Amino acid sequence: MGDKMQNGRLSLALDKAKPYLAMASLQVGFAGMYIITMFSLQQGMNHYILAVYRHFVATIVIAPFALVLERKIRPKLTLPIFLRILVLGFLEPVIDQNLYYLGMKYTTATLASATVNVIPAITFVMALVFRLERVNLRKVHSIAKIVGTIVMVPGAVIMTLYKGPAFNFIKLQGGGHHSATNEAEAKHWVAGTLMLLARCWGWSGFYILQSFTLKMYPAELSLTALICFVGTIGGAAVSFAMERDMNAWKIGWDSSLLAAVYSGVVCSGIAYYAQGVVIREQGPVFVTAFSPLCMIITAGLGSVLLAENIHLGSIIGTLLIIFGLYTVLWGKSKDQQNSTTEEGKVQELPITDGTKSINLEDSIEGPARILKITAESQET
């Protein structure tokens, strides 16, 4: 009996940990993407074309799984759902990805990952607007969410407008990439940072719309495949308009192919699916809670592999953003606790004849109980 209870608790603990493990693992994958794509862009890969190849790879990888695994549960694709998918395919694969690639090309991979820390604040504001989040000014945790969101704003401003002295924590020989990065930073730092912040709005909007779409179309793999397919078509149209040289579409067995395959499989295919599953369970704000982990990993990898400098403005801004972020998350966790408590309350059932036995469903707190309610107790 004791072994069964212990196994049940272990299983419950693993179920609770799954969303955290999934999101933390994705941040490791995103950090690798920042480094690989930054190197590819430095080697001359066109960022418009890279976004197209990325989502083309994601489509051909995810589509077979969607066709087989969700053939019995896939809802009918109605016009309202199709229009939402069109917007989703435009928001993240086209707007977000191109602003991200261009902004990172003008700045650094470390800054590109650091600006993602603003997404939880933007997502929180959008969630308030669309009534996915609640705020009660009489509650401390609600005030914490507001304060945390406000604190993130100056952090993003400092990262954009103040560069400060550079820190090179790991000295490496040969500064080819380092020199190229410094030239880009000197010319386009502010413009690149603004592009990175603008893509955060597109990404947050993607999370919010994905949350609404999953309620109408609860098939995560199919939705992921459709978003990537629409993103491929839309990205190709933008690429043909912006890049007329057909030689730019040539791709060999080099860093460009690695960037397209890695980012397509890990950061589009797997990421869209995993985020969709977690959004259905935890909401869009939870999904954005792990961004600082990506920044820390990217900063370390960027310093080692790309010889990137970390600037004082980025450090100060990042610290403010992290403080604000986890203030928001603390308030969010209290909201979830209160919601769980309210759902766990037992409502009284009116009984009018005789003595009835009502079997309450098993809950996390303990086994089912038998509650006897007499008819006389209901009389007034």
Side-chain angles (χ1 to χ4, degrees), residues 240-278:
F240 282 122
M242 301 299 295
E243 180 58 65
R244 303 299 177 87
D245 185 8
M246 298 305 297
N247 291 324
W249 289 85
K250 294 181 180 179
I251 189 169
W253 295 91
D254 51 16
S255 60
S256 298
L257 179 62
L258 176 61
V261 173
Y262 179 89
S263 60
V265 174
V266 176
C267 303
S268 287
I270 296 177
Y272 290 171
Y273 169 72
Q275 288 167 355
V277 173
V278 177

Side-chain angles (χ1 to χ4, degrees), residues 64-75 217-224 273 277 280:
F65 292 98
L67 290 173
V68 174
L69 299 178
E70 294 182 344
R71 64 184 184 277
K72 295 182 179 179
I73 64 172
R74 189 183 304 110
Y217 195 79
E220 290 87 357
L221 284 172
S222 299
L223 181 61
T224 298
Y273 169 72
V277 173
R280 288 185 64 188

Side-chain angles (χ1 to χ4, degrees), residues 8 14 64 94 101 110 130 198 206 228 233 241 326 330 353 359 362:
L14 290 176
V94 179
Y101 287 139
T110 301
F130 292 101
F206 176 83
C228 292
I233 301 301
Y326 284 103
W330 178 82
D353 54 340
N359 188 10
D362 289 345

Side-chain angles (χ1 to χ4, degrees), residues 170-182:
I170 300 178
K171 303 290 184 181
L172 293 177
Q173 300 263 332
H177 297 308
H178 176 73
S179 176
T181 300
N182 279 343

Side-chain angles (χ1 to χ4, degrees), residues 23 26 54 63 88 91 93 117 157 216 243 247 255 286 315 358 362-363 369 379:
M23 292 300 100
L26 278 185
R54 165 178 173 169
L88 286 170
L91 272 178
N117 295 328
V157 172
M216 303 172 61
E243 180 58 65
N247 291 324
S255 60
F286 178 88
I315 295 174
I358 301 175
D362 289 345
S363 63
R369 297 170 293 171
E379 295 178 356

